[in-house]
Amino acid sequence: MKPIEIAKDIYWLGVIDWNIRDMHGYSTPYGTTYNAFLIVDEKIALIDAVKKEFADELIDGISQIVEPKKIDYVISNHTEMDHSGGLPRVMHKIGEDKPLYCSKMGLKNLPRHFRQKWNYQPVENRGELTLGKRTLTFMETRMLHWPDSMFTYVKEDKILFSSDAFGQHYAGLERFDDQVGDAIMPHAKKYFANILLLYSHLILKLVGKVQEMGLSLDMICPDHGIIWRQDPSKIINAYVEWSTQTPKRKAVVVYDTMWHSTQTMAEAIVGALGQKGVDTRSMHLRCCDRSEIMTEVLDAGAVIVGSPTLNNGLFPTVSDFLTYMKGLKPKNKIGAAFGSYGWSGEAVKLINRELEAMKFELIGPGVKVQYVPNDQCIEACYQLGQKIADALS
Ligand code: FEO
């Protein structure tokens, strides 16, 4: 990709990963980008360093603007390998002795990844670095989404380099929000639901801090996906809404099935929810990826989980999903369990235990049936759906 000048003497130098379909368990059907940026001032600074496999592409991009050895400073906003994997190659090209600015946690984490004695320059929260006409301000953003994460802000241009925050896993030739329009929002939502949801409280705190600091923002440049320049407040407002986790009158019925019995139960519950006007998603765990399901869970008021009992336990895909959802700590949900069994029937109890551990409000003990649902079981599922719908009112 050719570098793109996003503001005077500030360049996007990202690379597009069209082919990635799985990012540590998160499905990326649209690929992603790893964004890096170059600021050319009296001193030249590179912000972030893309994934290892794309390091030469980044160096190529830099060379189209300046001789790589002319870079004075490298800023590492985040240690995760998709933004730092290219560092060894980049540092080798620009000079191993060049100052490498990072957060205090970055100082711990970068050597643990690369075992290199680079010229680390840990920065204080709100510490500054002057490039000439411009000054960079660093803001620690611990756990957004690693302990080492930080933002870099250029006050003269009102640009925030936000690392993972406000990103989207979306590979495309468009570089800016105004080129994609609202079509980018589902990608941003999925990214939030699967990467940042558990840090919602920190996001609300951070947004409060940014407002308190009176930071003006003309542009937000995340490390993945498009740059927000037309309306940066749109993504900030979306983050506030998603972080608040106000439940909608929406239900997600997520299940797996062996011989269609649990599926038949799911269909009865979905039917009852639909009849009561609840916005309902029916998600079979071997048809929908867990990260797609989490995206729907984000703003749902109810999550109803179904599993057959397999070998005295949960069906493996259901265990996988519950473990994944538990880690992301969704809040303000009601829940229920259902499932069929042959002879022991532990699944409903096990789901309930997990939902309670997630602090979901359980709507009843759940519905279970031996082998194949009869009319009585279908009626019980239907009533469960109605009760959930009433609880969502
Ligand atoms: Fe895109 Fe936390 O790395």
Side-chain angles (χ1 to χ4, degrees):
M1 284 299 295
K2 280 199 168 313
I4 293 172
E5 192 172 28
I6 60 170
K8 185 157 172 37
D9 295 330
I10 301 182
Y11 298 86
W12 171 84
L13 276 177
V15 295
I16 302 180
D17 191 346
W18 297 98
N19 299 327
I20 187 168
R21 290 293 176 270
D22 185 295
M23 170 87 85
H24 49 53
Y26 171 130
S27 70
T28 50
Y30 297 86
T32 193
T33 72
Y34 313 110
N35 299 337
F37 302 91
L38 193 73
I39 305 178
V40 180
D41 205 313
E42 287 162 33
K43 297 287 185 186
I44 300 176
L46 173 70
I47 300 180
D48 290 325
V50 310
K51 204 173 173 181
K52 183 181 176 184
E53 296 87 321
F54 296 88
D56 283 337
E57 210 177 307
L58 172 62
I59 290 161
D60 233 39
I62 295 170
S63 305
Q64 292 177 49
I65 304 164
V66 294
E67 161 63 27
K69 284 210 179 311
K70 289 196 171 156
I71 290 178
D72 298 286
Y73 307 133
V74 178
I75 317 296
S76 172
N77 274 338
H78 179 25
T79 307
E80 195 166 5
M81 292 288 209
D82 46 343
H83 311 295
S84 70
L87 270 178
R89 185 102 183 93
V90 168
M91 296 304 285
H92 177 70
K93 274 280 173 189
I94 70 171
E96 307 272 355
D97 58 336
K98 296 287 172 69
L100 173 53
Y101 290 85
C102 58
S103 66
K104 280 173 269 177
M105 289 306 291
L107 176 66
K108 290 185 177 171
N109 289 347
L110 284 166
R112 286 170 180 156
H113 281 73
F114 302 107
R115 320 286 168 205
Q116 296 283 336
K117 290 184 176 159
W118 288 320
N119 179 10
Y120 299 108
Q121 299 291 326
V123 298
E124 293 295 324
N125 185 33
R126 303 207 197 175
E128 293 191 336
L129 174 66
T130 301
L131 301 181
K133 293 191 287 291
R134 296 177 180 82
T135 301
L136 308 183
T137 305
F138 304 109
M139 294 169 64
E140 266 188 355
T141 55
R142 281 192 193 198
M143 300 320 297
L144 297 175
H145 92 287
W146 272 21
D148 47 73
S149 297
M150 68 175 192
F151 289 174
T152 298
Y153 178 64
V154 186
K155 57 186 167 198
E156 294 77 7
D157 298 278
K158 300 178 184 166
I159 297 180
L160 182 70
F161 296 97
S162 63
S163 185
D164 275 332
F166 311 119
Q168 335 88 46
H169 286 311
Y170 174 76
L173 295 176
E174 309 94 333
R175 289 279 59 82
F176 299 99
D177 52 350
D178 45 282
Q179 296 168 330
V180 191
D182 277 344
I184 201 64
M185 294 311 287
H187 302 286
K189 183 179 176 185
K190 180 176 178 184
Y191 185 100
F192 182 94
N194 287 278
I195 298 176
L196 296 168
L197 179 62
L198 70 162
Y199 303 119
S200 291
H201 60 296
L202 295 177
I203 289 166
L204 290 172
K205 226 164 136 180
L206 179 70
V207 171
K209 210 191 285 174
V210 166
Q211 281 162 347
E212 189 188 296
M213 286 166 73
L215 225 61
S216 321
L217 294 174
D218 280 355
M219 210 180 279
I220 298 178
C221 299
D223 273 355
H224 296 288
I226 58 93
I227 292 165
W228 305 92
R229 72 171 175 189
Q230 185 179 47
D231 183 10
S233 65
K234 185 174 182 166
I235 189 65
I236 294 177
N237 292 340
Y239 266 46
V240 170
E241 184 193 327
W242 295 331
S243 299
T244 308
Q245 297 191 56
T246 305
K248 289 189 175 161
R249 193 169 151 74
K250 172 179 171 183
V252 182
V253 179
V254 47
Y255 68 96
D256 209 325
T257 193
M258 291 170 74
W259 291 102
H260 302 293
S261 290
T262 304
Q263 182 169 8
T264 302
M265 298 170 82
E267 283 161 5
I269 296 167
V270 168
L273 288 161
Q275 260 199 350
K276 287 260 192 178
V278 176
D279 178 12
T280 305
R281 304 283 185 277
S282 174
M283 305 190 91
H284 183 311
L285 275 159
R286 277 177 288 152
C287 303
C288 306
D289 175 79
R290 62 170 97 84
S291 51
E292 282 170 51
I293 300 173
M294 259 329 285
T295 311
E296 296 298 342
V297 166
L298 172 64
D299 53 7
V303 183
I304 305 106
V305 182
S307 175
T309 296
L310 175 68
N311 302 331
N312 305 107
L314 291 171
F315 199 76
T317 53
V318 179
S319 297
D320 172 282
F321 174 70
L322 288 169
T323 301
Y324 187 68
M325 180 164 72
K326 193 177 187 177
L328 287 162
K329 299 186 168 63
K331 289 192 170 48
N332 308 327
K333 311 284 182 211
I334 59 176
F338 63 97
S340 73
Y341 66 97
W343 46 96
S344 57
E346 290 90 344
V348 165
K349 184 181 71 190
L350 293 170
I351 293 168
N352 281 341
R353 191 185 295 166
E354 287 300 299
L355 295 180
E356 277 177 328
M358 288 180 241
K359 301 193 168 51
F360 282 31
E361 181 196 336
L362 287 187
I363 303 299
V367 181
K368 64 180 190 176
V369 69
Q370 193 165 23
Y371 294 115
V372 175
N374 54 14
D375 288 349
Q376 204 182 350
C377 166
I378 295 298
E379 180 55 27
C381 289
Y382 197 80
Q383 281 181 14
L384 176 63
Q386 287 193 320
K387 260 195 202 168
I388 291 164
D390 291 344
L392 282 171
S393 301

PDB file of all heavy atoms in Angstrom, residues 203-218:
ATOM      1  N   ILE A 203     -13.401   2.101  30.193  1.00  0.00           N
ATOM      2  CA  ILE A 203     -13.691   2.962  29.036  1.00  0.00           C
ATOM      3  C   ILE A 203     -14.508   4.169  29.483  1.00  0.00           C
ATOM      4  O   ILE A 203     -14.227   5.298  29.108  1.00  0.00           O
ATOM      5  CB  ILE A 203     -14.415   2.160  27.934  1.00  0.00           C
ATOM      6  CG1 ILE A 203     -13.406   1.190  27.314  1.00  0.00           C
ATOM      7  CG2 ILE A 203     -15.006   3.067  26.868  1.00  0.00           C
ATOM      8  CD1 ILE A 203     -13.994   0.122  26.461  1.00  0.00           C
ATOM      9  N   LEU A 204     -15.500   3.923  30.322  1.00  0.00           N
ATOM     10  CA  LEU A 204     -16.323   5.039  30.800  1.00  0.00           C
ATOM     11  C   LEU A 204     -15.469   6.032  31.580  1.00  0.00           C
ATOM     12  O   LEU A 204     -15.600   7.247  31.435  1.00  0.00           O
ATOM     13  CB  LEU A 204     -17.478   4.512  31.660  1.00  0.00           C
ATOM     14  CG  LEU A 204     -18.559   3.746  30.883  1.00  0.00           C
ATOM     15  CD1 LEU A 204     -19.561   3.096  31.827  1.00  0.00           C
ATOM     16  CD2 LEU A 204     -19.282   4.667  29.897  1.00  0.00           C
ATOM     17  N   LYS A 205     -14.536   5.488  32.355  1.00  0.00           N
ATOM     18  CA  LYS A 205     -13.639   6.345  33.140  1.00  0.00           C
ATOM     19  C   LYS A 205     -12.736   7.163  32.197  1.00  0.00           C
ATOM     20  O   LYS A 205     -12.526   8.356  32.399  1.00  0.00           O
ATOM     21  CB  LYS A 205     -12.744   5.438  34.016  1.00  0.00           C
ATOM     22  CG  LYS A 205     -12.620   5.891  35.443  1.00  0.00           C
ATOM     23  CD  LYS A 205     -12.080   4.750  36.249  1.00  0.00           C
ATOM     24  CE  LYS A 205     -11.021   5.190  37.201  1.00  0.00           C
ATOM     25  NZ  LYS A 205     -10.512   4.058  37.981  1.00  0.00           N
ATOM     26  N   LEU A 206     -12.229   6.488  31.180  1.00  0.00           N
ATOM     27  CA  LEU A 206     -11.321   7.143  30.238  1.00  0.00           C
ATOM     28  C   LEU A 206     -12.035   8.257  29.468  1.00  0.00           C
ATOM     29  O   LEU A 206     -11.497   9.360  29.317  1.00  0.00           O
ATOM     30  CB  LEU A 206     -10.758   6.102  29.250  1.00  0.00           C
ATOM     31  CG  LEU A 206      -9.812   6.655  28.189  1.00  0.00           C
ATOM     32  CD1 LEU A 206      -8.485   7.082  28.804  1.00  0.00           C
ATOM     33  CD2 LEU A 206      -9.556   5.619  27.103  1.00  0.00           C
ATOM     34  N   VAL A 207     -13.252   7.962  29.017  1.00  0.00           N
ATOM     35  CA  VAL A 207     -13.999   8.988  28.275  1.00  0.00           C
ATOM     36  C   VAL A 207     -14.239  10.190  29.188  1.00  0.00           C
ATOM     37  O   VAL A 207     -14.077  11.344  28.780  1.00  0.00           O
ATOM     38  CB  VAL A 207     -15.335   8.415  27.721  1.00  0.00           C
ATOM     39  CG1 VAL A 207     -16.203   9.520  27.149  1.00  0.00           C
ATOM     40  CG2 VAL A 207     -15.048   7.366  26.642  1.00  0.00           C
ATOM     41  N   GLY A 208     -14.556   9.921  30.453  1.00  0.00           N
ATOM     42  CA  GLY A 208     -14.757  10.995  31.428  1.00  0.00           C
ATOM     43  C   GLY A 208     -13.478  11.818  31.562  1.00  0.00           C
ATOM     44  O   GLY A 208     -13.515  13.056  31.588  1.00  0.00           O
ATOM     45  N   LYS A 209     -12.343  11.126  31.611  1.00  0.00           N
ATOM     46  CA  LYS A 209     -11.054  11.808  31.775  1.00  0.00           C
ATOM     47  C   LYS A 209     -10.751  12.679  30.549  1.00  0.00           C
ATOM     48  O   LYS A 209     -10.299  13.820  30.676  1.00  0.00           O
ATOM     49  CB  LYS A 209      -9.946  10.758  31.961  1.00  0.00           C
ATOM     50  CG  LYS A 209      -8.791  11.256  32.816  1.00  0.00           C
ATOM     51  CD  LYS A 209      -7.600  10.337  32.776  1.00  0.00           C
ATOM     52  CE  LYS A 209      -7.747   9.068  33.578  1.00  0.00           C
ATOM     53  NZ  LYS A 209      -6.586   8.165  33.368  1.00  0.00           N
ATOM     54  N   VAL A 210     -11.029  12.137  29.363  1.00  0.00           N
ATOM     55  CA  VAL A 210     -10.769  12.883  28.115  1.00  0.00           C
ATOM     56  C   VAL A 210     -11.647  14.143  28.094  1.00  0.00           C
ATOM     57  O   VAL A 210     -11.189  15.232  27.727  1.00  0.00           O
ATOM     58  CB  VAL A 210     -11.039  11.975  26.886  1.00  0.00           C
ATOM     59  CG1 VAL A 210     -11.122  12.780  25.603  1.00  0.00           C
ATOM     60  CG2 VAL A 210      -9.945  10.913  26.768  1.00  0.00           C
ATOM     61  N   GLN A 211     -12.897  13.989  28.530  1.00  0.00           N
ATOM     62  CA  GLN A 211     -13.786  15.158  28.556  1.00  0.00           C
ATOM     63  C   GLN A 211     -13.290  16.184  29.565  1.00  0.00           C
ATOM     64  O   GLN A 211     -13.262  17.381  29.297  1.00  0.00           O
ATOM     65  CB  GLN A 211     -15.218  14.733  28.878  1.00  0.00           C
ATOM     66  CG  GLN A 211     -15.899  14.153  27.639  1.00  0.00           C
ATOM     67  CD  GLN A 211     -17.137  13.330  27.953  1.00  0.00           C
ATOM     68  OE1 GLN A 211     -17.386  12.983  29.107  1.00  0.00           O
ATOM     69  NE2 GLN A 211     -17.895  13.003  26.920  1.00  0.00           N
ATOM     70  N   GLU A 212     -12.839  15.689  30.703  1.00  0.00           N
ATOM     71  CA  GLU A 212     -12.329  16.570  31.770  1.00  0.00           C
ATOM     72  C   GLU A 212     -11.084  17.327  31.284  1.00  0.00           C
ATOM     73  O   GLU A 212     -10.887  18.499  31.599  1.00  0.00           O
ATOM     74  CB  GLU A 212     -11.984  15.643  32.945  1.00  0.00           C
ATOM     75  CG  GLU A 212     -11.639  16.266  34.251  1.00  0.00           C
ATOM     76  CD  GLU A 212     -11.143  15.138  35.183  1.00  0.00           C
ATOM     77  OE1 GLU A 212     -11.954  14.254  35.498  1.00  0.00           O
ATOM     78  OE2 GLU A 212      -9.930  15.152  35.530  1.00  0.00           O
ATOM     79  N   MET A 213     -10.254  16.658  30.502  1.00  0.00           N
ATOM     80  CA  MET A 213      -9.035  17.296  29.980  1.00  0.00           C
ATOM     81  C   MET A 213      -9.357  18.280  28.858  1.00  0.00           C
ATOM     82  O   MET A 213      -8.490  19.028  28.409  1.00  0.00           O
ATOM     83  CB  MET A 213      -8.078  16.223  29.418  1.00  0.00           C
ATOM     84  CG  MET A 213      -7.371  15.404  30.470  1.00  0.00           C
ATOM     85  SD  MET A 213      -6.613  13.929  29.729  1.00  0.00           S
ATOM     86  CE  MET A 213      -5.226  14.643  28.852  1.00  0.00           C
ATOM     87  N   GLY A 214     -10.599  18.232  28.355  1.00  0.00           N
ATOM     88  CA  GLY A 214     -11.004  19.119  27.259  1.00  0.00           C
ATOM     89  C   GLY A 214     -10.232  18.845  25.979  1.00  0.00           C
ATOM     90  O   GLY A 214      -9.947  19.768  25.213  1.00  0.00           O
ATOM     91  N   LEU A 215      -9.897  17.574  25.762  1.00  0.00           N
ATOM     92  CA  LEU A 215      -9.131  17.201  24.575  1.00  0.00           C
ATOM     93  C   LEU A 215      -9.988  17.399  23.321  1.00  0.00           C
ATOM     94  O   LEU A 215     -11.042  16.808  23.205  1.00  0.00           O
ATOM     95  CB  LEU A 215      -8.794  15.712  24.704  1.00  0.00           C
ATOM     96  CG  LEU A 215      -7.394  15.246  24.396  1.00  0.00           C
ATOM     97  CD1 LEU A 215      -6.385  15.896  25.318  1.00  0.00           C
ATOM     98  CD2 LEU A 215      -7.329  13.727  24.574  1.00  0.00           C
ATOM     99  N   SER A 216      -9.523  18.234  22.396  1.00  0.00           N
ATOM    100  CA  SER A 216     -10.293  18.340  21.141  1.00  0.00           C
ATOM    101  C   SER A 216      -9.796  17.296  20.170  1.00  0.00           C
ATOM    102  O   SER A 216      -8.604  17.031  20.083  1.00  0.00           O
ATOM    103  CB  SER A 216     -10.094  19.644  20.422  1.00  0.00           C
ATOM    104  OG  SER A 216     -10.003  20.638  20.944  1.00  0.00           O
ATOM    105  N   LEU A 217     -10.706  16.728  19.439  1.00  0.00           N
ATOM    106  CA  LEU A 217     -10.360  15.620  18.541  1.00  0.00           C
ATOM    107  C   LEU A 217     -10.877  15.884  17.137  1.00  0.00           C
ATOM    108  O   LEU A 217     -12.084  15.905  16.908  1.00  0.00           O
ATOM    109  CB  LEU A 217     -10.977  14.317  19.054  1.00  0.00           C
ATOM    110  CG  LEU A 217     -10.442  13.776  20.381  1.00  0.00           C
ATOM    111  CD1 LEU A 217     -11.243  12.574  20.821  1.00  0.00           C
ATOM    112  CD2 LEU A 217      -8.973  13.398  20.245  1.00  0.00           C
ATOM    113  N   ASP A 218      -9.955  16.085  16.222  1.00  0.00           N
ATOM    114  CA  ASP A 218     -10.353  16.189  14.815  1.00  0.00           C
ATOM    115  C   ASP A 218     -10.266  14.830  14.136  1.00  0.00           C
ATOM    116  O   ASP A 218     -10.884  14.603  13.109  1.00  0.00           O
ATOM    117  CB  ASP A 218      -9.430  17.164  14.052  1.00  0.00           C
ATOM    118  CG  ASP A 218      -9.832  18.607  14.314  1.00  0.00           C
ATOM    119  OD1 ASP A 218     -10.860  18.813  14.999  1.00  0.00           O
ATOM    120  OD2 ASP A 218      -9.120  19.518  13.860  1.00  0.00           O
TER     121      ASP A 218
END
